Amino acid sequence: MYSPTMNCGKPTVSIVIPTFNSISYIKYCLHSVFNQTYRDFEVIVVDGGSTDGTLDFLSKYPVVRVIRGRANRSLQKNIGAYNSKGKYLYFLDSDFYIDSRVVEECVRICEEGCDAVVINLLPRIDGGFFSRVLLWHKIYTSQCEAKTAARFIRREVFFRVGGFNNLLYFNEDLDLHRRIKHSKYRIGYVDRYQYHLGEAKSMGSYMRRYLYYAPNIGYYIKHNLRESISHIASIYYILKAFKKTPSKLILHILALEAIRLATLLVGCIVRHHESP
């Protein structure tokens, strides 16, 4: 089994992975982590109370430090950061699979002067029609800067801007990115990819995901008003990107974005009226 090294004289990276019933994807995530060309890193998994065998699976990896505690995703990532030893932090979702040179390239960019790095993120498609629409939707909406977030961050910078907001579980990474940017830290971009394995496979599961996020959207908008306006104007960015790179799926992409926005709005209104 591959074992990360911590004494090769290079800046250490702490890879923080929050988990919760992640058995379906964590093995692929860890495989991509241990397949990195850059080898000076530690892996910290913060579990939110898994009951599906995730912890049993992680016990097979003695090089992975597992911290248990029932917490939401933002708090899990903060806990991982507080327990880290690296010069840099890389926050990786448990259903992500990353290119083998991601960590190496991020370290290089930060060593050249950047404080945080944005890594390309794409859904992993299964060849189905909905997956293809989702892929192009992600490609188009990524043209909106308010929808990009740095996940690789200089540790001292992370703490200076306050880390993740523990009350956010919707776009908490975008909220952190905004604070890094507004604090005038230098943000770089790497031409490498993260693939989201856990994307919705149907319109129904897609809508359920955003209904789950809906109760938190009001709090996010309150603290990220300017960026939220860009989110609402996302159809504009889709059309702008379409002019550069046309796709026959454009009508379906626009429909998907309209459904996403409507689902968040309806979910937010319904949850608001349900609250005491």
Side-chain angles (χ1 to χ4, degrees), residues 63-130:
V63 295
V64 175
R65 183 179 179 187
V66 178
I67 301 173
R68 305 187 189 191
R70 294 186 178 276
N72 65 30
R73 189 167 60 191
S74 292
L75 183 53
Q76 284 174 262
K77 288 188 276 192
N78 282 335
I79 291 172
Y82 287 130
N83 285 276
S84 67
K85 300 177 181 178
K87 180 178 180 180
Y88 301 110
L89 299 169
Y90 181 18
F91 296 97
L92 185 64
D93 287 0
S94 62
D95 58 354
F96 279 19
Y97 187 95
I98 59 177
D99 281 358
S100 62
R101 297 180 67 90
V102 164
V103 175
E104 178 183 354
E105 290 296 309
C106 287
V107 170
R108 179 185 61 80
I109 290 174
C110 284
E111 289 295 286
E112 291 174 354
C114 285
D115 300 295
V117 182
V118 175
I119 308 160
N120 296 315
L121 175 60
L122 289 176
R124 192 71 167 182
I125 65 172
D126 58 11
F129 178 76
F130 183 79

Side-chain angles (χ1 to χ4, degrees), residues 2 17 29 45 53 88 128 130 161 193 231 267:
Y2 168 80
I17 308 173
C29 178
V45 171
Y88 301 110
F130 183 79
V161 299
Y193 286 89
H231 281 280

